[in-house]
């Protein structure tokens, strides 16, 4: 068994344990395997093990490795988890199945136009900047509700959920709770939060999707 498959089994075991500890059904939690910086040879063992949900944070990098893999495994679900520029919206809509980083009106409008043009409808999540960090993307929490309603009712976008990346230097729990509360208020089914260092806490707070990279593939260089 290769290293990455052993790590994969271990992450799955920890996800299931965290779900059970929170009286949740483990099958309600999806592992998004974050493959940024890693080549197909690292991804292949997970594909062979049957894993189908992956995350990349850059459109251009994803274009270099995923079109081939998606041709070979038709049921791959590829998530864009990093910031999206308008000039990459066309490529993003054609390659990704879920775009987790909708974070401003302009990109929402450009995506709406591209999705109609291509007749391809990736699921969309709104990124919330729970820590109000200047360097981080995302809608401020107190604007999230109006933003989601605007996207739904004015732009006719099917927003499926929320995503956040808490500040690195703070305990994540209050951020996870805030995101879960917002999702509940907006009746959004998808809550993407939790990374290698904190996915168990995110599951305790209601995450439906955890985005895990280094715990699966080792530290990135
Ligand atoms: C890289 C990345 C992750 C995975 O981070 P790890 O700490 O390696 O698990 C999750 N979410 C986003 C948005 C990322 O960019």
């Amino acid at each position: 068994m290769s290293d990455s498959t052993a790590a994969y089994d271990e992450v799955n075991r920890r996800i299931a344990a965290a779900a059970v500890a929170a009286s949740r059904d483990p099958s309600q939690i999806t592992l998004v395997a974050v493959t940024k910086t890693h080549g197909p040879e690292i991804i292949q063992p997970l594909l062979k093990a049957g894993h189908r949900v992956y995350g990349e944070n850059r459109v251009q990098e994803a274009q270099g490795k995923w079109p081939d893999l998606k041709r070979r495994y038709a049921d791959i679900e590829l998530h864009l988890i990093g910031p999206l520029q308008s000039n990459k919206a066309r490529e993003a809509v054609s390659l990704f199945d879920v775009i987790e980083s909708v974070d401003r009106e302009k990109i929402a409008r450009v995506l709406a136009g591209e999705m109609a043009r291509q007749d391809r409808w990736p699921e969309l999540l709104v990124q919330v900047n729970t820590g109000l960090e200047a360097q981080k993307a995302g809608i401020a929490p107190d604007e999230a509700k109006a933003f989601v309603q605007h996207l739904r009712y004015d732009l006719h976008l099917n927003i499926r959920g929320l995503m956040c990346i808490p500040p690195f230097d703070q305990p994540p729990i209050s951020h996870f709770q805030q995101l879960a509360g917002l999702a509940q208020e907006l009746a959004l089914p998808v809550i993407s939060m939790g990374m290698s260092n904190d996915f168990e806490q995110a599951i305790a707070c209601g995450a439906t999707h955890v985005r895990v990279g280094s715990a699966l593939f080792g530290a990135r260089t």
Side-chain angles (χ1 to χ4, degrees), residues 34 36 57 81 163 165 195-197 211-215 220:
V34 177
K36 65 188 183 199
N57 71 333
I81 60 173
M163 176 271 230
I165 310 169
M195 316 195 334
S196 290
N197 287 331
R211 309 178 307 267
V212 177
S214 45
R220 290 175 293 272

Side-chain angles (χ1 to χ4, degrees), residues 13-115:
R13 189 197 61 73
R14 288 171 58 191
I15 288 172
V20 168
S23 304
R24 300 184 57 199
D25 177 353
S27 73
Q28 300 304 302
I29 294 147
T30 300
L31 169 62
V32 180
V34 177
T35 48
K36 65 188 183 199
T37 76
H38 298 298
E41 71 287 356
I42 302 287
I43 305 170
Q44 209 55 257
L46 259 63
L47 283 164
K48 292 220 173 86
H51 193 78
R52 291 295 179 267
V53 186
Y54 296 89
E56 288 281 343
N57 71 333
R58 299 175 140 196
V59 176
Q60 201 158 347
E61 184 187 342
Q63 280 181 300
K65 54 184 138 166
W66 284 101
D68 264 3
L69 294 169
K70 283 186 118 190
R71 269 188 291 275
R72 270 190 280 162
Y73 299 88
D75 52 349
I76 283 173
E77 179 182 298
L78 190 61
H79 291 229
L80 177 62
I81 60 173
L84 177 59
Q85 305 304 319
S86 302
N87 63 3
K88 289 280 193 300
R90 179 162 301 187
E91 290 87 344
V93 166
S94 72
L95 180 62
F96 289 92
D97 305 291
V98 181
I99 296 175
E100 298 202 9
S101 49
V102 180
D103 64 348
R104 60 198 190 281
E105 140 95 331
K106 183 176 179 208
I107 197 67
R109 266 191 290 114
V110 173
L111 285 171
E114 264 314 316
M115 293 181 356

Side-chain angles (χ1 to χ4, degrees), residues 125-126 128 148 160-164 179 182-183 186 188 190-192:
L125 310 187
V126 164
V128 181
V148 169
R160 292 278 298 158
L162 303 178
M163 176 271 230
C164 78
L179 197 75
L182 276 172
L186 288 159
L188 292 168
V190 175
I191 305 173
S192 171

